[in-house]
Amino acid sequence: MINLILFGPPGSGKGTQAARLVDHYHLTHISTGDLFRYEIGNDTPLGRQAKAYMAEGRLVPDEVTIGMLRNKVESSGDTQGFIFDGFPRTLPQAEALDAFLAERGESVTGLISLEVDEEEIVQRILLRGASSGRADDNDESVIRNRISVYHAETSPVKDHYAPTGRVRHVYGMGTIDEITERLREAIDGLIG
Ligand code: ADP
């Protein structure tokens, strides 16, 4: 099984690239952001729990997120592996993922970090907000909050995996095709 973490700040292109990579490598894409938006759209109890955090650009509490992720992996059926997009986003989430994979006799194949300039990120998210209808993409102070949460809580996840030697940095500026190509090179190196 392949278990890849696609990592990077909000707006770094994880969702766009993950969609392309799952087709190429025949993997299952799990985006915690998409899962939360689905729950919110259906007004489920889980969605109601997540909604206020997301609107403010804060992280949904770990126990809620970890439980949802676990359910999704367990109900995914036959697959050659996963691309985790937007998870893990905190150290406790990373530790929970490691433990969960270990229970299944597996581990993280690699973490690929998309590197994008901060001002580019804000511009991309505002542009996306104009068409996505995402409330958290339409308010610059919420976007800046998401970026500061990324630096404070999420970027330590990269350091957590660094000792495994399975962290790769990919330059996330350029055309979508160019970035896909760079990601494929990094992934081929990890799984080859
Ligand atoms: P982006 O990466 O562009 O911010 P996402 O769709 O990945 O977009 O996430 C949107 C929001 O969903 C986050 O700001 C956060 O509130 C919530 N969220 C997504 N994944 C997680 C996670 N792993 N842990 C906690 N909250 C999360």
Side-chain angles (χ1 to χ4, degrees):
M1 286 274 278
I2 295 172
N3 297 294
L4 290 172
I5 299 171
L6 193 55
F7 195 79
S12 56
K14 300 186 295 288
T16 304
Q17 295 295 340
R20 296 172 147 230
L21 296 171
V22 289
D23 287 345
H24 182 76
Y25 293 99
H26 308 292
L27 302 172
T28 300
H29 179 199
I30 298 188
S31 156
T32 42
D34 287 349
L35 292 173
F36 283 131
R37 281 184 286 277
Y38 176 84
E39 299 289 335
I40 290 171
N42 289 289
D43 198 22
T44 64
L46 180 58
R48 269 171 273 172
Q49 272 180 291
K51 194 170 180 175
Y53 294 100
M54 287 177 72
E56 292 170 13
R58 294 158 63 205
L59 295 180
V60 179
D62 282 337
E63 57 278 16
V64 175
T65 307
I66 291 165
M68 178 179 74
L69 189 279
R70 182 185 275 267
N71 286 339
K72 187 67 188 176
V73 171
E74 282 170 349
S75 63
S76 281
D78 259 2
T79 180
Q80 305 195 27
F82 297 94
I83 292 189
F84 299 104
D85 159 7
F87 185 94
R89 240 173 165 106
T90 63
L91 277 179
Q93 289 181 17
E95 283 157 6
L97 178 66
D98 294 345
F100 174 56
L101 291 178
E103 275 170 30
R104 301 159 61 94
E106 294 173 40
S107 61
V108 169
T109 309
L111 178 152
I112 303 166
S113 178
L114 275 170
E115 310 290 328
V116 181
D117 301 345
E118 193 144 318
E119 280 317 305
E120 163 91 6
I121 282 169
V122 176
Q123 293 316 314
R124 282 188 191 179
I125 296 176
L126 285 168
L127 194 68
R128 177 172 76 185
S131 58
S132 73
R134 276 178 58 172
D136 62 342
D137 283 351
N138 275 295
D139 178 325
E140 189 160 339
S141 71
V142 170
I143 297 170
R144 300 247 176 232
N145 193 33
R146 284 157 60 197
I147 294 171
S148 68
V149 167
Y150 172 78
H151 289 303
E153 296 186 58
T154 304
S155 78
V157 168
K158 213 171 9 177
D159 308 327
H160 169 80
Y161 288 106
T164 66
R166 310 200 67 83
V167 171
R168 300 289 180 272
H169 295 89
V170 167
Y171 186 51
M173 311 267 288
T175 67
I176 292 176
D177 281 343
E178 282 166 353
I179 299 162
T180 307
E181 191 49 43
R182 288 177 209 142
L183 287 166
R184 278 167 53 167
E185 266 177 47
I187 294 171
D188 291 343
L190 283 163
I191 67 181

